[in-house]
């Protein structure tokens, strides 16, 4: 099984020494992210996120299926992650690495279990028909901090996505094509984002947005998922060196600031995108959506 | 690059190379470098996109391109990471996900059965490729076989390793890297009063060492930014001025 190339002893010693002097290898501050870029595709529900050299693509699709028998009033919502050998030769097809399993579990906890998407709104006919929303996440290039980038891509793609409009008339379900009726956005409740901290030394140095080299050398890491209102969805600190409770509280407040920045960026990009699509201001008239 | 060749010639895969561009020498046979394929009897076809470079003195012609992974060639200076050691050999990683090169434990300066160096897994070593065949693991040496001197090769202690593109490594290793390679960052940083030492590996690595951590980072960033953003000479000088200001 291929493994990620290990950094040499010289690199290990140097990175830690530089961190002790308050310097990062790429010259960033400890709590500074790399340049986060978000682009939407021509279709609805395609988000392309670049975080430095890390690049992640999320694509949302919807289809009509039968709901699970034990949950007749809920739609189906799944997130599938795929780390292909394109991202790094250490990833193999059909053999999930630890990174991949952790990534999909964290996304599941952050986005699905925090009820960011209202699955009840996906129900069409109770027990018979519902929407199945599927997010496919592809990592195109891996240079560390996959979790934060992936979560951002998933949330951005879901917020950008429009599903076909439907109507019910006397037990008849009609799904309209985009030409007939403008597609409608998902019923979205809140936008959670992940912020990952990497710890060095005895756990006293915390870095945000570690690159691949820094990720390989960290002694422990902690992922905090929260939305811009400061509501924490999950905290994952899976083993590693113990970290002081006060330091973790400090991390949580840093994370809140970062999440607010993410939210503003996402809102701005969504507004820009809808402005670009709204040629001649027709979208408001075409929309069949009611004001809540 | 010959002196009389003023205009750069770029080729695409499958292009026809004009016969006037191919150097001819009365005695030496024509040597083909990377990126060219000989189709008998007398056709040369480029297999990659890049700059066509000729050397009339050595009667050689090749295509200079930046990309692809490193393939070991005899005589290349490389920086490897020791992966593990066996009875007689160190297994050295030249680039990730390729088979390891072997470095005999006695291929060091003044090495004998009793005084051979002890390299732990993960140590860096600066070596020369002395055997490179297509279907065999490459072999390295840290000593000149004729003089028995190290000539600067051997284990690298301290410092930091930065990844650069193979093209940048070739430019840095040119005999006149300033005039021909158009890389002035290292010279500029040195003349700005920074004290550091470097070693460039043709496998796309540069090792930088200095007393000062900030200097190491400045040198590494200068080279990487020059490489990634393809900076010209003037831009490189500007970059160095900015970095020097940050260091002091």
């Amino acid at each position: 099984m291929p493994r990620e190339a290990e950094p040499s002893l010289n690199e290990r010693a140097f990175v830690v020494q530089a961190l002790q002097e308050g310097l990062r290898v790429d010259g960033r501050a400890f709590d500074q992210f790399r340049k986060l870029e978000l682009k939407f595709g021509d279709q609805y529900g395609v988000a392309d996120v670049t975080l430095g050299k890390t690049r992640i693509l999320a694509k949302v699709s919807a289809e009509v299926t039968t709901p699970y028998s034990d949950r007749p009033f809920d739609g189906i919502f799944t997130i599938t992650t795929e780390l292909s050998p394109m991202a790094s030769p250490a990833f193999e097809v059909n053999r999930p690495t630890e990174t991949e399993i952790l990534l999909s579990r964290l996304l599941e906890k952050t986005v699905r279990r925090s009820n960011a998407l209202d699955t009840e709104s996906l129900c069409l006919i109770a027990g018979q028909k519902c929407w199945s929303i599927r997010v496919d996440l592809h990592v195109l290039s891996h240079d560390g901090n996959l979790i934060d980038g992936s979560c951002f891509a998933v949330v951005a793609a879901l917020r950008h996505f429009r599903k076909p409009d439907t109507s019910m008339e006397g037990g008849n379900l009609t799904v309209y094509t985009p030409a007939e009726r403008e597609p409608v956005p998902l019923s979205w409740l809140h936008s959670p984002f992940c912020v990952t901290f990497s710890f060095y030394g005895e756990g006293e140095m915390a870095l945000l947005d570690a690159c691949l080299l820094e990720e390989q050398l960290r002694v422990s890491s902690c992922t905090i998922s929260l939305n811009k209102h400061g509501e924490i969805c999950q905290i994952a600190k899976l083993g590693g060196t113990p970290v002081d409770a006060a330091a973790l509280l400090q991390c949580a407040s840093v994370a809140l600031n970062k999440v607010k920045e993410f939210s503003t960026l996402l809102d701005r990009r969504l507004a820009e995108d809808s402005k670009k699509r709204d040629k001649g201001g027709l979208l408001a008239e075409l929309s069949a959506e009611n004001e809540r | 690059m010959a002196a009389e060749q003023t205009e750069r010639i770029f080729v695409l895969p499958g292009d026809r190379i004009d016969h006037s561009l191919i150097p001819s020498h009365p005695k030496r046979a024509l040597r083909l470098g990377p990126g060219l394929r000989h189709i008998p009897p007398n056709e040369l076809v480029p297999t990659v996109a890049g700059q066509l470079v000729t050397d009339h003195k050595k009667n050689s012609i090749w295509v200079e391109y930046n990309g692809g992974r490193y393939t070991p060639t005899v005589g290349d200076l490389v920086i490897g990471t020791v992966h593990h050691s066996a009875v007689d050999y160190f297994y050295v990683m030249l680039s990730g996900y390729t088979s390891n090169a072997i470095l005999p434990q006695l291929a060091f300066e003044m090495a004998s059965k009793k005084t051979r160096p002890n390299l732990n897994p993960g140590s860096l070593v600066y070596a020369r490729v002395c055997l490179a065949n297509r279907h065999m693991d490459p072999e390295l040496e840290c000593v000149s076989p004729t003089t028995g001197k190290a000539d600067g090769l051997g284990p690298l202690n301290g410092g930091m390793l930065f990844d650069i593109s193979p093209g940048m490594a070739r430019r840095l290793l040119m005999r006149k890297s300033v005039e021909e390679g158009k890389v002035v960052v290292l010279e500029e940083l040195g003349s700005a009063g920074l004290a550091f030492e470097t070693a460039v590996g043709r496998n796309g690595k540069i090792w930088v060492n200095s007393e000062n951590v900030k200097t190491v980072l400045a040198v590494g960033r200068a080279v990487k930014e020059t490489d990634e953003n393809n900076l010209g000479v003037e831009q490189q000088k500007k970059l160095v001025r900015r970095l020097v200001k940050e260091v002091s």
Side-chain angles (χ1 to χ4, degrees), chain A residues 2-11 14-15 17-18 21 23-28 53 88-90 213, chain B residues 81 83 93 96-97 120-124 156-162 207 212-214 216-217 221 224 228:
Chain A
R3 276 199 308 178
E4 204 74 55
E6 296 264 318
S8 62
L9 295 175
N10 304 45
E11 286 167 271
F14 182 83
V15 168
Q17 194 198 344
E21 295 188 18
L23 300 164
R24 279 174 89 164
V25 173
D26 44 10
R28 282 182 285 156
K53 280 183 189 161
S88 156
L213 175 66
Chain B
T81 313
H83 187 262
M93 207 162 62
Y97 319 109
N120 292 321
S123 346
L124 291 180
L156 297 171
N157 299 317
M160 175 68 184
L161 193 67
F162 295 94
W207 171 84
N212 191 341
V213 172
K214 278 186 177 172
V216 177
L217 289 174
R221 260 167 56 206
K224 281 190 90 162
E228 279 161 18

Short mmCIF file of all heavy atoms in Angstrom, two decimals, chain A residues 2-11 14-15 17-18 21 23-28 53 88-90 213, chain B residues 81 83 93 96-97 120-124 156-162 207 212-214 216-217 221 224 228:
data_model
loop_
_atom_site.label_atom_id
_atom_site.label_comp_id
_atom_site.label_asym_id
_atom_site.label_seq_id
_atom_site.Cartn_x
_atom_site.Cartn_y
_atom_site.Cartn_z
N PRO A 2 0.66 2.15 -0.94
CA PRO A 2 1.53 3.33 -0.97
C PRO A 2 1.28 4.22 0.24
O PRO A 2 0.17 4.28 0.76
CB PRO A 2 1.11 4.04 -2.25
CG PRO A 2 -0.26 3.57 -2.53
CD PRO A 2 -0.37 2.19 -1.98
N ARG A 3 2.33 4.86 0.67
CA ARG A 3 2.20 5.77 1.80
C ARG A 3 2.71 7.14 1.39
O ARG A 3 3.53 7.26 0.49
CB ARG A 3 3.01 5.26 2.98
CG ARG A 3 2.26 4.23 3.79
CD ARG A 3 2.85 4.10 5.15
NE ARG A 3 4.29 3.87 5.10
CZ ARG A 3 5.04 3.77 6.17
NH1 ARG A 3 4.50 3.89 7.35
NH2 ARG A 3 6.33 3.56 6.07
N GLU A 4 2.21 8.13 2.09
CA GLU A 4 2.69 9.49 1.85
C GLU A 4 4.18 9.54 2.15
O GLU A 4 4.64 8.92 3.12
CB GLU A 4 1.93 10.43 2.79
CG GLU A 4 1.85 11.86 2.36
CD GLU A 4 0.87 12.07 1.22
OE1 GLU A 4 -0.30 11.69 1.35
OE2 GLU A 4 1.29 12.60 0.20
N ALA A 5 4.95 10.24 1.30
CA ALA A 5 6.38 10.35 1.55
C ALA A 5 6.61 11.09 2.86
O ALA A 5 6.06 12.17 3.08
CB ALA A 5 7.05 11.09 0.40
N GLU A 6 7.41 10.50 3.72
CA GLU A 6 7.65 11.10 5.03
C GLU A 6 8.62 12.26 4.91
O GLU A 6 9.60 12.16 4.17
CB GLU A 6 8.26 10.05 5.96
CG GLU A 6 7.35 8.89 6.24
CD GLU A 6 6.59 9.07 7.54
OE1 GLU A 6 7.22 9.52 8.51
OE2 GLU A 6 5.39 8.77 7.56
N PRO A 7 8.40 13.33 5.64
CA PRO A 7 9.39 14.42 5.62
C PRO A 7 10.69 13.99 6.31
O PRO A 7 10.66 13.15 7.21
CB PRO A 7 8.70 15.55 6.36
CG PRO A 7 7.53 15.00 7.01
CD PRO A 7 7.23 13.66 6.44
N SER A 8 11.80 14.56 5.87
CA SER A 8 13.10 14.16 6.43
C SER A 8 13.27 14.73 7.83
O SER A 8 12.53 15.61 8.27
CB SER A 8 14.21 14.66 5.53
OG SER A 8 14.19 16.05 5.50
N LEU A 9 14.28 14.22 8.52
CA LEU A 9 14.56 14.67 9.89
C LEU A 9 14.88 16.16 9.91
O LEU A 9 14.48 16.88 10.83
CB LEU A 9 15.74 13.89 10.47
CG LEU A 9 15.52 12.39 10.68
CD1 LEU A 9 16.81 11.74 11.13
CD2 LEU A 9 14.44 12.17 11.71
N ASN A 10 15.60 16.62 8.87
CA ASN A 10 15.97 18.04 8.82
C ASN A 10 14.73 18.92 8.76
O ASN A 10 14.64 19.93 9.45
CB ASN A 10 16.82 18.33 7.57
CG ASN A 10 18.04 17.47 7.50
OD1 ASN A 10 17.97 16.27 7.73
ND2 ASN A 10 19.17 18.07 7.21
N GLU A 11 13.76 18.49 7.92
CA GLU A 11 12.54 19.28 7.80
C GLU A 11 11.78 19.29 9.13
O GLU A 11 11.30 20.33 9.57
CB GLU A 11 11.64 18.71 6.71
CG GLU A 11 12.15 19.00 5.33
CD GLU A 11 11.45 18.17 4.28
OE1 GLU A 11 11.90 17.05 3.99
OE2 GLU A 11 10.43 18.64 3.76
N PHE A 14 13.52 21.56 11.55
CA PHE A 14 13.46 22.98 11.17
C PHE A 14 12.08 23.56 11.38
O PHE A 14 11.94 24.67 11.91
CB PHE A 14 13.88 23.15 9.71
CG PHE A 14 13.90 24.57 9.28
CD1 PHE A 14 14.99 25.37 9.53
CD2 PHE A 14 12.80 25.14 8.65
CE1 PHE A 14 15.02 26.69 9.16
CE2 PHE A 14 12.80 26.46 8.28
CZ PHE A 14 13.92 27.24 8.53
N VAL A 15 11.05 22.83 10.96
CA VAL A 15 9.68 23.37 11.07
C VAL A 15 9.35 23.66 12.53
O VAL A 15 8.83 24.73 12.86
CB VAL A 15 8.67 22.38 10.45
CG1 VAL A 15 7.25 22.77 10.81
CG2 VAL A 15 8.82 22.34 8.95
N GLN A 17 11.49 24.17 14.98
CA GLN A 17 12.33 25.28 15.48
C GLN A 17 11.77 26.62 15.01
O GLN A 17 11.70 27.59 15.78
CB GLN A 17 13.76 25.10 14.97
CG GLN A 17 14.76 25.98 15.70
CD GLN A 17 16.05 26.11 14.93
OE1 GLN A 17 16.32 25.32 14.02
NE2 GLN A 17 16.84 27.08 15.27
N ALA A 18 11.35 26.67 13.74
CA ALA A 18 10.80 27.92 13.22
C ALA A 18 9.52 28.29 13.94
O ALA A 18 9.29 29.46 14.26
CB ALA A 18 10.55 27.78 11.72
N GLU A 21 10.10 29.95 17.08
CA GLU A 21 10.45 31.36 16.92
C GLU A 21 9.29 32.17 16.37
O GLU A 21 9.44 33.33 16.00
CB GLU A 21 11.67 31.48 16.00
CG GLU A 21 12.90 30.86 16.61
CD GLU A 21 14.15 31.14 15.80
OE1 GLU A 21 14.13 32.07 14.98
OE2 GLU A 21 15.12 30.41 16.00
N LEU A 23 7.55 31.50 13.51
CA LEU A 23 7.55 31.64 12.05
C LEU A 23 6.99 30.38 11.42
O LEU A 23 7.22 29.27 11.90
CB LEU A 23 8.98 31.84 11.54
CG LEU A 23 9.72 33.05 12.06
CD1 LEU A 23 11.20 32.89 11.79
CD2 LEU A 23 9.19 34.30 11.39
N ARG A 24 6.24 30.55 10.34
CA ARG A 24 5.77 29.39 9.57
C ARG A 24 6.56 29.33 8.27
O ARG A 24 7.05 30.35 7.77
CB ARG A 24 4.29 29.53 9.25
CG ARG A 24 3.43 29.12 10.39
CD ARG A 24 2.00 29.39 10.09
NE ARG A 24 1.36 28.26 9.43
CZ ARG A 24 0.04 28.14 9.34
NH1 ARG A 24 -0.74 29.07 9.83
NH2 ARG A 24 -0.50 27.11 8.74
N VAL A 25 6.64 28.12 7.72
CA VAL A 25 7.50 27.93 6.54
C VAL A 25 7.03 28.79 5.37
O VAL A 25 7.84 29.35 4.62
CB VAL A 25 7.53 26.44 6.16
CG1 VAL A 25 8.26 26.24 4.87
CG2 VAL A 25 8.22 25.66 7.25
N ASP A 26 5.72 28.95 5.21
CA ASP A 26 5.27 29.77 4.07
C ASP A 26 5.03 31.22 4.46
O ASP A 26 4.45 31.99 3.70
CB ASP A 26 4.02 29.17 3.43
CG ASP A 26 3.02 28.71 4.47
OD1 ASP A 26 3.22 29.02 5.64
OD2 ASP A 26 2.04 28.04 4.10
N GLY A 27 5.51 31.62 5.65
CA GLY A 27 5.50 33.03 6.00
C GLY A 27 4.16 33.56 6.48
O GLY A 27 3.99 34.77 6.63
N ARG A 28 3.21 32.67 6.76
CA ARG A 28 1.92 33.15 7.24
C ARG A 28 1.97 33.35 8.75
O ARG A 28 2.86 32.83 9.43
CB ARG A 28 0.84 32.11 6.95
CG ARG A 28 0.38 32.10 5.54
CD ARG A 28 -0.72 31.08 5.37
NE ARG A 28 -0.20 29.72 5.35
CZ ARG A 28 -0.92 28.67 5.67
NH1 ARG A 28 -2.15 28.81 6.07
NH2 ARG A 28 -0.39 27.46 5.61
N LYS A 53 -2.79 25.45 -2.45
CA LYS A 53 -2.66 24.46 -3.51
C LYS A 53 -3.67 23.33 -3.38
O LYS A 53 -3.71 22.44 -4.21
CB LYS A 53 -1.24 23.88 -3.51
CG LYS A 53 -0.25 24.79 -4.18
CD LYS A 53 1.10 24.13 -4.22
CE LYS A 53 2.14 25.11 -4.70
NZ LYS A 53 3.48 24.66 -4.32
N SER A 88 -3.20 12.66 -4.58
CA SER A 88 -1.89 12.28 -4.07
C SER A 88 -1.71 10.79 -4.37
O SER A 88 -2.66 10.02 -4.25
CB SER A 88 -1.83 12.53 -2.56
OG SER A 88 -0.86 11.69 -1.99
N PRO A 89 -0.52 10.37 -4.77
CA PRO A 89 -0.33 8.95 -5.09
C PRO A 89 -0.54 8.05 -3.89
O PRO A 89 -0.65 6.84 -4.03
CB PRO A 89 1.12 8.88 -5.56
CG PRO A 89 1.49 10.26 -5.90
CD PRO A 89 0.68 11.15 -5.02
N ALA A 90 -0.63 8.62 -2.69
CA ALA A 90 -0.84 7.80 -1.51
C ALA A 90 -2.28 7.31 -1.41
O ALA A 90 -2.56 6.43 -0.62
CB ALA A 90 -0.47 8.57 -0.25
N LEU A 213 2.91 19.55 4.73
CA LEU A 213 4.11 19.30 5.54
C LEU A 213 3.80 19.52 7.02
O LEU A 213 4.16 18.71 7.87
CB LEU A 213 5.24 20.22 5.08
CG LEU A 213 6.52 20.17 5.88
CD1 LEU A 213 7.19 18.82 5.73
CD2 LEU A 213 7.48 21.26 5.46
N THR B 81 16.58 11.39 0.58
CA THR B 81 16.27 11.12 1.98
C THR B 81 16.52 9.64 2.23
O THR B 81 16.00 8.81 1.49
CB THR B 81 14.79 11.42 2.26
OG1 THR B 81 14.47 12.68 1.69
CG2 THR B 81 14.52 11.46 3.74
N HIS B 83 15.90 6.20 3.40
CA HIS B 83 14.66 5.53 3.76
C HIS B 83 14.93 4.47 4.82
O HIS B 83 14.33 4.46 5.87
CB HIS B 83 14.04 4.91 2.51
CG HIS B 83 12.68 4.35 2.74
ND1 HIS B 83 12.45 3.03 2.96
CD2 HIS B 83 11.48 4.96 2.81
CE1 HIS B 83 11.16 2.84 3.15
NE2 HIS B 83 10.54 3.99 3.06
N MET B 93 15.56 7.75 -0.93
CA MET B 93 14.39 8.20 -1.67
C MET B 93 14.76 9.47 -2.43
O MET B 93 15.13 10.47 -1.81
CB MET B 93 13.30 8.49 -0.66
CG MET B 93 11.92 8.35 -1.13
SD MET B 93 10.83 8.22 0.28
CE MET B 93 11.10 9.79 1.08
N GLY B 96 9.22 11.14 -4.25
CA GLY B 96 8.20 10.31 -3.65
C GLY B 96 7.62 9.31 -4.64
O GLY B 96 7.56 9.57 -5.84
N TYR B 97 7.24 8.15 -4.15
CA TYR B 97 6.50 7.16 -4.92
C TYR B 97 7.29 6.58 -6.09
O TYR B 97 6.73 6.08 -7.04
CB TYR B 97 5.17 7.73 -5.43
CG TYR B 97 4.51 8.57 -4.40
CD1 TYR B 97 4.45 9.95 -4.54
CD2 TYR B 97 3.99 8.00 -3.25
CE1 TYR B 97 3.88 10.72 -3.55
CE2 TYR B 97 3.42 8.76 -2.28
CZ TYR B 97 3.37 10.11 -2.43
OH TYR B 97 2.81 10.88 -1.45
N ASN B 120 20.70 7.79 9.87
CA ASN B 120 19.41 7.30 10.35
C ASN B 120 18.35 7.49 9.27
O ASN B 120 18.50 8.35 8.41
CB ASN B 120 19.00 8.07 11.60
CG ASN B 120 19.89 7.76 12.75
OD1 ASN B 120 20.30 6.62 12.94
ND2 ASN B 120 20.26 8.79 13.50
N PRO B 121 17.27 6.71 9.33
CA PRO B 121 16.19 6.95 8.38
C PRO B 121 15.68 8.37 8.50
O PRO B 121 15.45 8.85 9.60
CB PRO B 121 15.11 5.95 8.81
CG PRO B 121 15.84 4.88 9.52
CD PRO B 121 17.03 5.53 10.15
N GLY B 122 15.55 9.05 7.37
CA GLY B 122 15.09 10.43 7.38
C GLY B 122 16.20 11.44 7.22
O GLY B 122 15.92 12.62 7.04
N SER B 123 17.48 11.00 7.27
CA SER B 123 18.55 11.99 7.08
C SER B 123 18.68 12.33 5.60
O SER B 123 18.35 11.54 4.73
CB SER B 123 19.90 11.48 7.56
OG SER B 123 19.77 10.36 8.33
N LEU B 124 19.17 13.52 5.34
CA LEU B 124 19.35 13.98 3.97
C LEU B 124 20.77 13.71 3.53
O LEU B 124 21.71 13.79 4.33
CB LEU B 124 19.08 15.47 3.87
CG LEU B 124 17.63 15.92 4.06
CD1 LEU B 124 17.55 17.43 3.93
CD2 LEU B 124 16.74 15.26 3.05
N LEU B 156 23.77 15.90 4.74
CA LEU B 156 23.45 17.31 4.95
C LEU B 156 22.88 17.43 6.36
O LEU B 156 21.90 16.77 6.69
CB LEU B 156 22.41 17.78 3.94
CG LEU B 156 22.82 17.74 2.46
CD1 LEU B 156 21.62 18.04 1.59
CD2 LEU B 156 23.92 18.75 2.19
N ASN B 157 23.50 18.26 7.18
CA ASN B 157 23.05 18.41 8.56
C ASN B 157 22.34 19.75 8.74
O ASN B 157 22.80 20.77 8.24
CB ASN B 157 24.22 18.32 9.52
CG ASN B 157 24.90 16.98 9.42
OD1 ASN B 157 24.23 15.94 9.34
ND2 ASN B 157 26.22 16.98 9.37
N GLY B 158 21.24 19.71 9.45
CA GLY B 158 20.49 20.94 9.73
C GLY B 158 19.83 21.48 8.48
O GLY B 158 19.70 20.79 7.48
N GLY B 159 19.42 22.72 8.55
CA GLY B 159 18.85 23.36 7.37
C GLY B 159 17.46 22.87 7.04
O GLY B 159 16.83 22.14 7.80
N MET B 160 16.99 23.30 5.89
CA MET B 160 15.61 22.99 5.48
C MET B 160 15.62 22.63 4.01
O MET B 160 16.39 23.17 3.22
CB MET B 160 14.73 24.22 5.73
CG MET B 160 13.32 24.09 5.26
SD MET B 160 12.40 22.88 6.21
CE MET B 160 10.85 22.90 5.34
N LEU B 161 14.72 21.73 3.65
CA LEU B 161 14.61 21.28 2.27
C LEU B 161 13.37 21.91 1.64
O LEU B 161 12.29 21.88 2.24
CB LEU B 161 14.48 19.76 2.26
CG LEU B 161 14.65 19.05 0.94
CD1 LEU B 161 16.08 19.19 0.48
CD2 LEU B 161 14.26 17.60 1.09
N PHE B 162 13.52 22.49 0.47
CA PHE B 162 12.37 23.05 -0.24
C PHE B 162 12.21 22.33 -1.57
O PHE B 162 13.19 21.97 -2.22
CB PHE B 162 12.58 24.54 -0.50
CG PHE B 162 12.65 25.37 0.73
CD1 PHE B 162 13.86 25.67 1.32
CD2 PHE B 162 11.50 25.86 1.33
CE1 PHE B 162 13.94 26.44 2.47
CE2 PHE B 162 11.56 26.62 2.48
CZ PHE B 162 12.78 26.91 3.05
N TRP B 207 18.31 22.60 -0.74
CA TRP B 207 18.55 22.56 0.71
C TRP B 207 19.21 23.86 1.08
O TRP B 207 20.16 24.31 0.42
CB TRP B 207 19.44 21.37 1.03
CG TRP B 207 19.96 21.28 2.43
CD1 TRP B 207 19.31 20.75 3.51
CD2 TRP B 207 21.23 21.71 2.91
NE1 TRP B 207 20.10 20.84 4.62
CE2 TRP B 207 21.28 21.42 4.29
CE3 TRP B 207 22.33 22.32 2.32
CZ2 TRP B 207 22.40 21.71 5.07
CZ3 TRP B 207 23.43 22.62 3.09
CH2 TRP B 207 23.46 22.31 4.46
N ASN B 212 20.59 31.57 10.95
CA ASN B 212 19.37 32.27 11.26
C ASN B 212 18.18 31.60 10.57
O ASN B 212 18.22 31.38 9.36
CB ASN B 212 19.54 33.72 10.76
CG ASN B 212 18.45 34.62 11.26
OD1 ASN B 212 17.39 34.14 11.69
ND2 ASN B 212 18.68 35.90 11.23
N VAL B 213 17.14 31.29 11.33
CA VAL B 213 15.96 30.64 10.75
C VAL B 213 15.31 31.54 9.70
O VAL B 213 14.87 31.07 8.64
CB VAL B 213 14.97 30.30 11.88
CG1 VAL B 213 13.65 29.82 11.31
CG2 VAL B 213 15.54 29.23 12.78
N LYS B 214 15.27 32.83 10.00
CA LYS B 214 14.62 33.77 9.07
C LYS B 214 15.31 33.79 7.72
O LYS B 214 14.67 33.91 6.67
CB LYS B 214 14.63 35.18 9.67
CG LYS B 214 13.51 35.40 10.65
CD LYS B 214 13.51 36.84 11.09
CE LYS B 214 12.34 37.11 12.02
NZ LYS B 214 12.40 38.44 12.60
N VAL B 216 16.96 31.32 6.32
CA VAL B 216 16.61 30.09 5.59
C VAL B 216 15.25 30.25 4.92
O VAL B 216 15.07 29.94 3.74
CB VAL B 216 16.60 28.89 6.56
CG1 VAL B 216 16.16 27.64 5.84
CG2 VAL B 216 17.96 28.68 7.18
N LEU B 217 14.29 30.77 5.68
CA LEU B 217 12.95 30.94 5.12
C LEU B 217 12.95 31.94 3.98
O LEU B 217 12.28 31.73 2.96
CB LEU B 217 12.00 31.41 6.22
CG LEU B 217 11.66 30.35 7.27
CD1 LEU B 217 10.84 30.96 8.38
CD2 LEU B 217 10.91 29.21 6.64
N ARG B 221 11.87 30.96 0.26
CA ARG B 221 10.72 31.61 -0.37
C ARG B 221 11.11 32.34 -1.63
O ARG B 221 10.35 32.35 -2.61
CB ARG B 221 10.07 32.56 0.62
CG ARG B 221 8.87 31.88 1.23
CD ARG B 221 8.32 32.55 2.42
NE ARG B 221 7.97 33.93 2.20
CZ ARG B 221 7.95 34.82 3.19
NH1 ARG B 221 8.30 34.45 4.40
NH2 ARG B 221 7.61 36.06 2.97
N LYS B 224 11.40 29.66 -4.32
CA LYS B 224 10.11 29.07 -4.67
C LYS B 224 9.22 30.07 -5.42
O LYS B 224 8.55 29.70 -6.38
CB LYS B 224 9.38 28.59 -3.41
CG LYS B 224 9.91 27.27 -2.92
CD LYS B 224 9.04 26.70 -1.84
CE LYS B 224 7.96 25.83 -2.43
NZ LYS B 224 7.37 24.93 -1.45
N GLU B 228 7.66 29.49 -9.01
CA GLU B 228 6.22 29.35 -9.23
C GLU B 228 5.65 30.47 -10.07
O GLU B 228 4.77 30.26 -10.90
CB GLU B 228 5.49 29.27 -7.89
CG GLU B 228 5.55 27.88 -7.28
CD GLU B 228 5.26 27.87 -5.80
OE1 GLU B 228 4.68 28.85 -5.30
OE2 GLU B 228 5.62 26.88 -5.14
#
